[in-house]
Amino acid sequence: MSAAMAEGSDRKSREYADGVARVTATEEHPCPETPRLLELILSRENMQAAFKRVVGNKGSAGIDGMRVDELGAYLTQQWPCIREQLLAGEYCPQAVRKVDIPKPSGGGMRTLGIPTVLDRLIQQAMHQQLMPLFEPHFSEASYGFRPGRSAQQAVQAARRHVAGGYRWVVDLDLEKFFDRVNHDILMSRVGRIVKDKRVLRLIRRYLQAGLLEGGIISPRQEGTPQGGPLSPLLSNILLDELDKELERRGHRFCRYADDCNIYLQTRQSAQRVMDSVSRFLEEQLKLKVNRSKSAVDRPWNRSFLGYSMTFHKAPRLKVAAASVKRHKNKLKEILRRGRGRKLATVIEDLRPVMRGWLNYYRYADVKGVFEDLDQWLRRKLRCILWRQWKRPWTRARKLMQRGLAKVQALRSAYNGRGPWWNAGASHMHLACPTSYFSKAGLVGYMSQFHSFQHVS
């Protein structure tokens, strides 16, 4: 990779060095005021950082079939030519590969556009230089895809708004946002900061790169499909227009990507804001508000980024019911695979899923959901054991080995009930108490939750 980056003629190297010097010397008005941004994007240090990021993220191949582990060897041979094409404005990105995945909310499918690994590299290099230019201009109420910001911060800010007396929420849902981004409107916003026409041309080409589905490449006139490193930044650039409008009106709001909640004091004012902001989005940004999923409601009746809150004057955060349901479904997939395996192996597979989920919801104040999950999961594991024991005489023997009297063990083993009923019955609780699963390696939700609280 580094050898390929170093190649090039002396004349081009001098031109590049002069360009970088001119850019870095302008401290008050860096890249935006100079046409040399592309040289910074293609600089050796920036490209190497982008290469490490793309390789570290792994990901699947694009339409050319090239894997991430093949990128280095390809660049060693081809990078000088690719770089010349980029500098000359002649580089054309390849089409993206269409992949449909279920939405986390369970409401249909989300379309991803997977670029080739080469295009992911170039987009990542662009992102690394563009982000510092736009980041200072973004709103304090915007939390998505920004360094040092998170969904949990957005949720905590939402709680502060509600605690401050803003107990009505305008919950906006943008219909197929990433599929409906207007290229001309987006490029006009990008052009306010970026003055290098070659970079603007390259961004537009990425926006217009075709979508491969079923062997057919379809041209794209709108949208910025999710899947490339540049799309999150471009979405923030466009929706910053919404943020500035809400700030101009003096509203309290939180936005994470295309999830936006606006907090108001009365239902009437919230309804007016819903109508006026919807018009703004549709007329000024050419985006469509999903009326069926958007609502004016109390914050505790809605979920925001997987969290909800209580109705108290000082509201407490809690895990939204839909988030618990999705998590249980994910655990069930692992548990189904565990019916023929050792309990310790099943628990080992559960552990990273449990910990990742808890890490996200560690700011929840209402702990009952974690206790319920502990009870539910232990019952599911007892259900697996009951199934594995299969025959009644095996079940009786296992129950006696775990301390039950012979009469009770036989009566329980031959009761004719199903696995789920038996998993919740007293004989399985006696035979497989909480300590039994702890010895097998299960660290419960409540225990992990307290450990997260201690660390934070």
Side-chain angles (χ1 to χ4, degrees):
M1 173 70 180
S2 60
M5 296 294 181
E7 293 185 16
S9 66
D10 293 340
R11 180 179 57 82
K12 290 292 184 181
S13 299
R14 287 194 299 271
E15 289 179 359
Y16 161 68
D18 292 343
V20 172
R22 286 195 296 272
V23 169
T24 54
T26 313
E27 296 182 357
E28 294 183 1
H29 302 285
C31 302
E33 299 299 328
T34 166
R36 312 301 294 179
L37 177 58
L38 185 58
E39 277 74 10
L40 277 180
I41 291 171
L42 300 178
S43 69
R44 179 177 178 179
E45 295 77 8
N46 191 58
M47 292 303 303
Q48 287 180 330
F51 179 82
K52 290 180 181 178
R53 185 68 179 267
V54 169
V55 171
N57 288 341
K58 298 181 180 179
S60 57
I63 65 169
D64 60 355
M66 184 189 298
R67 302 188 309 272
V68 170
D69 58 4
E70 299 173 319
L71 179 59
Y74 176 80
L75 291 172
T76 301
Q77 299 295 324
Q78 301 296 328
W79 177 248
C81 179
I82 295 169
R83 186 176 186 277
E84 288 299 319
Q85 290 178 348
L86 286 163
L87 289 170
E90 298 171 354
Y91 180 83
C92 291
Q94 294 191 63
V96 297
R97 181 168 60 87
K98 182 180 179 182
V99 176
D100 290 325
I101 62 171
K103 289 184 177 180
S105 60
M109 305 295 288
R110 171 174 290 141
T111 298
L112 299 183
I114 309 300
T116 64
V117 289
L118 174 61
D119 283 325
R120 290 210 293 274
L121 172 70
I122 297 170
Q123 285 194 37
Q124 178 62 37
M126 294 172 70
H127 181 276
Q128 291 168 182
Q129 292 296 328
L130 291 173
M131 175 61 85
L133 303 183
F134 287 94
E135 174 64 24
H137 301 278
F138 287 151
S139 168
E140 284 297 313
S142 169
Y143 295 89
F145 310 125
R146 297 180 61 188
R149 289 173 172 258
S150 66
Q152 292 97 329
Q153 290 175 338
V155 171
Q156 290 174 320
R159 174 171 59 177
R160 289 194 295 271
H161 293 326
V162 177
Y166 295 79
R167 297 170 69 83
W168 287 93
V169 62
V170 175
D171 187 353
L172 287 171
D173 183 272
L174 297 178
E175 185 175 314
K176 297 182 178 179
F177 166 72
F178 284 92
D179 297 333
R180 295 182 181 275
V181 170
N182 184 285
H183 291 175
D184 291 334
I185 294 175
L186 172 58
M187 291 307 302
S188 70
R189 273 56 180 179
V190 175
R192 293 174 181 175
I193 301 295
V194 175
K195 303 304 179 183
D196 190 328
K197 293 182 179 179
R198 297 167 300 172
V199 175
L200 294 174
R201 188 184 306 117
L202 186 57
I203 293 173
R204 185 177 282 274
R205 285 179 179 173
Y206 273 115
L207 290 173
Q208 294 177 339
L211 194 68
L212 178 66
E213 181 183 15
I216 300 174
I217 295 178
S218 304
R220 199 167 63 240
Q221 301 302 322
E222 63 179 5
T224 169
Q226 301 175 77
L230 208 51
S231 292
L233 174 59
L234 295 178
S235 69
N236 268 340
I237 292 172
L238 181 64
L239 289 175
D240 186 62
E241 199 79 4
L242 169 64
D243 299 341
K244 294 298 188 288
E245 176 66 15
L246 294 176
E247 288 175 345
R248 187 184 66 80
R249 299 183 186 188
H251 291 315
R252 299 193 177 200
F253 69 98
C254 299
R255 184 178 65 79
Y256 189 95
D258 56 333
D259 289 324
C260 184
N261 279 5
I262 310 168
Y263 297 90
L264 298 112
Q265 293 178 310
T266 67
R267 183 184 185 91
Q268 292 78 9
S269 60
Q271 190 59 59
R272 287 196 300 271
V273 169
M274 167 67 86
D275 296 338
S276 62
V277 171
S278 296
R279 283 196 303 271
F280 173 83
L281 287 166
E282 292 171 356
E283 294 174 4
Q284 299 298 319
L285 299 183
K286 307 303 179 185
L287 299 172
K288 186 176 181 180
V289 175
N290 189 329
R291 303 283 179 171
S292 63
K293 294 184 178 180
S294 301
V296 171
D297 206 340
R298 295 291 196 178
W300 45 87
N301 294 332
R302 308 291 294 181
S303 65
F304 181 50
L305 301 175
Y307 280 85
S308 186
M309 62 183 74
T310 64
F311 60 86
H312 301 93
K313 187 174 182 180
R316 295 184 296 161
L317 293 178
K318 62 181 184 179
V319 184
S323 302
V324 177
K325 183 178 179 180
R326 288 195 299 271
H327 183 56
K328 282 185 174 181
N329 288 337
K330 194 164 188 178
L331 294 177
K332 285 177 182 177
E333 293 177 7
I334 299 172
L335 292 166
R336 283 192 208 100
R337 300 195 302 265
R339 292 178 181 176
R341 296 188 295 167
K342 292 182 179 179
L343 189 68
T345 304
V346 178
I347 291 173
E348 184 68 25
D349 290 344
L350 290 170
R351 190 177 295 126
V353 177
M354 294 171 63
R355 189 163 185 84
W357 190 81
L358 267 167
N359 183 49
Y360 182 80
Y361 290 104
R362 67 185 183 274
Y363 295 103
D365 303 304
V366 180
K367 305 176 183 63
V369 64
F370 303 122
E371 295 173 349
D372 293 343
L373 277 170
D374 275 333
Q375 295 174 9
W376 175 85
L377 182 56
R378 287 194 295 268
R379 185 171 180 179
K380 295 293 287 187
L381 292 172
R382 292 187 185 105
C383 189
I384 288 177
L385 290 173
W386 189 262
R387 288 178 184 276
Q388 287 179 347
W389 295 344
K390 293 183 180 180
R391 300 181 183 278
W393 62 266
T394 303
R395 290 167 177 167
R397 179 168 54 84
K398 292 287 188 181
L399 291 173
M400 285 188 286
Q401 288 174 354
R402 286 163 171 74
L404 271 70
K406 183 177 181 179
V407 174
Q408 184 183 7
L410 288 169
R411 185 170 59 246
S412 301
Y414 286 89
N415 61 30
R417 301 275 191 167
W420 183 247
W421 186 90
N422 279 283
S426 60
H427 55 269
M428 283 299 286
H429 279 262
L430 290 170
C432 304
T434 302
S435 59
Y436 173 81
F437 296 109
S438 298
K439 290 177 182 177
L442 180 67
V443 182
Y445 285 92
M446 281 301 297
S447 298
Q448 293 190 59
F449 177 77
H450 288 312
S451 70
F452 277 127
Q453 293 291 299
H454 178 72
V455 171
S456 59

